[in-house]
């Protein structure tokens, strides 16, 4: 049994918090019950659903040999460089609710996650830094198909001063840790960081755990597939494992 499967079983046995149970902070109660667990419909959802289906069709005919430099199996490539649709919708809702002034993405994705971030507010650019030509090409193609023009895809560079950050690179825990350190090390950071694949491996779990104690981090939310750091003055330092179904 691989590491992630073990953690998945453990998560469903131990996750306690749902529907705001045990949450005393008004800010967190509203965030969990009205944003994270929101079952309502948003106008962007049909486009995200179509993009997810289109992406799957593109993956079915993709030559995975071109991605071999990542040194991972096709299973890992398919499943840890994209999020489940419910998590893409969650990112959309988080951006829609938090209304960040700037959004940054680091790592690799097949594009739907970028669409989710961009569609939440078309007036703001989503700056995506990727170190792989094939992922950049794949994402540009998907963005062009759906005419989403507020996504800027670049090569890996300096960590931008964004206040909503998504890191999706579980196959490279060291890189995830470096980006987290750069973001959370900013004295003025009062934003949100989403880390994908926090339980993918023991090394990713170590990166996740080591940054919980950072002074900038006030609230930590573990949703198995992603982890969320909320950095806002005035919040009590707390950690929660949320049952997100």
């Amino acid at each position: 049994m691989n590491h992630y499967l073990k953690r998945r079983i453990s998560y469903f046995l131990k996750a306690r918090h749902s529907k705001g149970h045990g949450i005393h902070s008004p800010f967190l109660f509203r965030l969990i019950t009205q944003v994270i667990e929101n079952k309502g419909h948003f106008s962007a959802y049909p486009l995200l659903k179509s993009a997810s289906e289109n992406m799957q069709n593109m993956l079915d005919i993709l030559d995975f040999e071109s991605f071999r430099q990542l040194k991972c199996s096709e299973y890992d490539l398919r499943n840890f460089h994209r999020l489940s649709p419910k998590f893409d919708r969650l990112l959309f809702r988080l951006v829609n609710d938090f209304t960040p002034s700037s959004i940054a993405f680091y790592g690799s994705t097949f594009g739907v996650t970028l669409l989710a971030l961009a569609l939440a507010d078309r007036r703001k650019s989503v700056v995506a830094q990727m170190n792989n030509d094939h992922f950049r090409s794949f994402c540009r193609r998907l963005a062009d198909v759906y005419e989403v023009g507020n996504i800027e895809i670049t090569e890996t560079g300096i960590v931008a001063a964004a206040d909503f950050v998504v890191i999706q690179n579980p196959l490279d825990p060291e890189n995830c840790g470096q980006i987290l350190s750069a973001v959370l090390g900013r004295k003025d950071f009062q934003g949100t960081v989403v880390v994908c694949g926090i339980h993918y491996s023991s090394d990713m779990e170590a990166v996740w755990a080591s940054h919980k104690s950072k002074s900038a981090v006030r609230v930590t939310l573990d949703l198995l597939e992603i982890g969320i750091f909320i950095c806002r003055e005035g919040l009590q330092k707390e950690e929660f494992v949320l049952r997100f179904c």
Side-chain angles (χ1 to χ4, degrees):
M1 186 181 299
N2 66 34
H3 182 90
Y4 179 71
L5 181 56
K6 290 179 182 178
R7 287 297 182 265
R8 187 175 179 83
I9 293 172
S10 175
Y11 168 82
F12 283 109
L13 290 175
K14 296 180 179 179
R16 299 293 181 218
H17 298 283
S18 63
K19 299 180 181 179
H21 294 160
I23 307 296
H24 302 294
S25 162
F27 166 80
L28 286 176
F29 186 85
R30 189 197 69 83
L31 175 65
I32 291 170
T33 58
Q34 298 184 29
V35 181
I36 294 178
E37 296 179 343
N38 190 315
K39 303 296 184 182
H41 177 79
F42 290 83
S43 59
Y45 284 3
L47 190 152
L48 290 177
K49 182 176 185 295
S50 173
S52 182
E53 293 170 350
N54 193 357
M55 177 191 67
Q56 183 59 56
N57 292 334
M58 292 165 69
L59 285 176
D60 288 342
I61 61 174
L62 183 66
D63 175 17
F64 280 94
E65 287 300 321
S66 60
F67 288 84
R68 289 307 177 200
Q69 67 189 75
L70 297 177
K71 298 179 181 179
C72 64
S73 68
E74 183 174 323
Y75 174 85
D76 286 343
L77 190 61
R78 284 179 176 272
N79 291 281
F80 291 97
H81 289 88
R82 60 174 174 167
L83 292 174
S84 303
K86 67 178 182 180
F87 284 100
D88 283 323
R89 292 193 296 269
L90 173 57
L91 288 182
F92 170 89
R93 294 196 300 274
L94 288 173
V95 172
N96 184 67
D97 186 76
F98 288 163
T99 62
S101 61
S102 51
I103 304 166
F105 176 95
Y106 302 95
S108 49
T109 175
F110 288 112
V112 180
T113 297
L114 296 184
L115 295 185
L117 295 169
L119 289 171
D121 189 343
R122 287 180 180 264
R123 298 168 300 176
K124 296 171 184 172
S125 294
V126 176
V127 178
Q129 292 189 12
M130 303 182 200
N131 59 7
N132 183 283
D133 290 337
H134 303 294
F135 279 116
R136 289 196 295 270
S137 176
F138 201 100
C139 290
R140 288 190 181 108
R141 179 180 174 187
L142 200 65
D144 288 344
V145 167
Y146 290 95
E147 299 181 335
V148 178
N150 56 322
I151 298 175
E152 179 185 346
I153 303 172
T154 68
E155 295 183 25
T156 302
I158 299 173
V159 175
D163 55 353
F164 193 97
V165 177
V166 178
I167 304 170
Q168 186 169 4
N169 194 11
L171 298 178
D172 192 346
E174 182 178 359
N175 177 255
C176 291
Q178 291 170 347
I179 296 170
L180 274 172
S181 295
V183 173
L184 298 177
R186 285 167 40 201
K187 293 182 179 180
D188 61 339
F189 186 69
Q190 292 287 306
T192 304
V193 183
V194 178
V195 186
C196 306
I198 59 173
H199 296 294
Y200 170 73
S201 65
S202 59
D203 288 338
M204 272 302 299
E205 286 185 333
V207 168
W208 167 249
S210 68
H211 287 82
K212 288 181 183 180
S213 61
K214 299 288 186 181
S215 59
V217 176
R218 306 312 301 162
V219 175
T220 302
L221 304 175
D222 181 344
L223 283 70
L224 180 65
E225 200 167 320
I226 68 172
I228 303 173
F229 288 142
I230 299 176
C231 307
R232 291 194 178 191
E233 291 181 353
L235 292 178
Q236 181 178 339
K237 196 169 182 68
E238 297 182 276
E239 298 180 16
F240 299 99
V241 179
L242 301 183
R243 181 176 286 276
F244 183 65
C245 301

